[in-house]
Amino acid sequence: MVRTDDDSWDITESVGATALGVACMRAAETRRPDALFTDPYAEVLVTAVDSPVWQQMGRGDYDESVAAVYQQLNDFMVARTLYFDEYLRAAVASGIRQIVIVASGLDARAYRLEWPSGTVIYEIDLPKVLDFKAKALAGREGELRVERRTVAVDLRHDWPEALRDSGFDPAAPTAWLAEGLLRYLPADAQDQLLGNIVSLSASGSRVALNMSGERSAQAYRLDEERTRFMAEQGVHVDVNQLWYPFEGRNHPVDWFRQQGWTVTPADPQAILAAHGRAVSEQTAEEMARHILMTAIRPGGDSTR
């Protein structure tokens, strides 16, 4: 599916399918005896698609040759999940009680993480994506660990107004999460999104995000092999056709520093190593090309 300025998608197509792919990888990690995190809702969401190929991915049920093609991507997704889980735990430990997950996709953190009393999570995404998630998790509202409010809006539209209409308080410190999002936006839309986040952030607010940077020839080759494998299963999704170029966009680390925020980059390989999981040298080199960071706006009790 070629991107357009006003495109939309179901969960099994275009950008929606990438959210489903992330859920598959989290489900597969949860099944491992040495799993570094547990996300039982990921398998529920994958199973709701009623598709053999997606369910196979959710089980991590590949032969060795296919598993090798996915290994590098899986390693990064595990590191990214751990990093953002720990970011949110640190945010609420600092006193923040307002969380916004931008382009939430099939994120299940509202269900699976522990949240202090009084915490509110806002999940922003397209109506079709949120509708799918609501149907897949119907009957599980009693398992919610937090007050969860969905904001059905396209990020290319006036999402700040929709967020405020849902009860968001711009005077309260906020922890923002933009996971796996920025490359799906044009450069100017990225700047507008980050600018909106800054304008809505009280002192002590923080944001965590990631973005794929300059990539190696090997990374593109693995993308091609994964795209070919999925096409053979009847799923036609090419992430390189869904991403907008890296060139010509502001580097988020530099951008937030210019806004006066304190920025701390992170190393995915070091995150995995801290949890006892080693990766190949080649994977570590590729991970180093990726942008993973937290930025904190000075002031406020939430910076403790």
Side-chain angles (χ1 to χ4, degrees):
M1 176 179 282
V2 178
R3 299 298 309 281
T4 61
D5 290 342
D6 59 351
D7 55 349
S8 64
W9 45 82
D10 289 312
I11 200 64
T12 58
E13 61 185 15
S14 187
V15 179
T18 67
L20 185 55
V22 173
C24 287
M25 292 177 187
R26 288 177 176 161
E29 174 68 18
T30 299
R31 283 173 166 261
R32 288 179 56 143
D34 62 344
L36 299 185
F37 62 81
T38 301
D39 184 353
Y41 301 94
E43 186 165 349
V44 174
L45 291 161
V46 171
T47 301
V49 177
D50 193 23
S51 163
V53 63
W54 289 114
Q55 292 177 22
Q56 178 188 18
M57 288 185 66
R59 295 190 301 271
D61 183 18
Y62 312 118
D63 61 37
E64 290 186 7
S65 62
V66 175
V69 172
Y70 277 94
Q71 187 61 55
Q72 192 175 96
L73 181 60
N74 288 344
D75 286 338
F76 174 72
M77 291 297 178
V78 171
R80 190 178 84 176
T81 300
L82 289 168
Y83 178 74
F84 289 138
D85 283 359
E86 291 166 1
Y87 157 78
L88 290 169
R89 292 187 183 106
V92 295
S94 76
I96 291 176
R97 295 294 180 268
Q98 185 165 251
I99 314 295
V100 180
I101 304 178
V102 186
S104 57
L106 301 185
D107 188 300
R109 290 183 173 96
Y111 290 83
R112 67 181 181 82
L113 297 185
E114 296 292 336
W115 299 101
S117 176
T119 304
V120 180
I121 294 182
Y122 297 88
E123 296 187 8
I124 305 174
D125 215 315
L126 291 176
K128 288 182 181 179
V129 175
L130 293 175
D131 286 347
F132 169 82
K133 191 172 179 180
K135 292 175 182 176
L137 296 178
R140 291 180 173 265
E141 291 81 0
E143 299 172 26
L144 269 172
R145 313 290 181 87
V146 68
E147 182 179 352
R148 173 176 171 262
R149 302 180 186 177
T150 58
V151 184
V153 64
D154 192 316
L155 288 171
R156 295 163 294 191
H157 299 159
D158 190 0
W159 63 267
E161 180 180 7
L163 182 61
R164 287 190 293 264
D165 288 346
S166 298
F168 174 84
D169 180 5
T174 303
W176 302 86
L177 175 58
E179 182 175 14
L181 167 62
L182 297 186
R183 285 293 298 275
Y184 296 101
L185 298 173
D188 58 346
Q190 173 184 307
D191 288 348
Q192 183 175 11
L193 175 84
L194 298 183
N196 282 332
I197 287 175
V198 168
S199 69
L200 292 168
S201 292
S203 296
S205 294
R206 57 186 69 188
V207 60
L209 57 81
N210 73 285
M211 183 170 70
S212 177
E214 298 284 1
R215 307 176 75 225
S216 67
Q218 184 218 25
Y220 283 108
R221 179 184 61 79
L222 290 174
D223 279 347
E224 290 175 355
E225 292 187 30
R226 288 190 290 266
T227 298
R228 187 179 309 112
F229 168 74
M230 293 300 288
E232 290 171 354
Q233 315 306 310
V235 178
H236 300 280
V237 178
D238 181 353
V239 69
N240 289 303
Q241 295 296 318
L242 301 177
W243 279 352
Y244 287 90
F246 178 73
E247 296 75 18
R249 67 177 64 226
N250 286 313
H251 194 296
V253 170
D254 297 335
W255 192 92
F256 272 99
R257 282 176 175 159
Q258 290 167 6
Q259 308 304 311
W261 292 46
T262 302
V263 179
T264 305
D267 177 2
Q269 185 272 334
I271 293 167
L272 290 178
H275 287 82
R277 183 170 295 177
V279 298
S280 69
E281 182 177 343
Q282 194 172 48
T283 294
E285 289 176 359
E286 196 61 41
M287 283 182 171
R289 298 172 182 267
H290 206 91
I291 299 163
L292 192 62
M293 56 156 277
T294 295
I296 298 178
R297 188 167 205 165
D301 293 341
S302 64
T303 58
R304 293 196 305 269

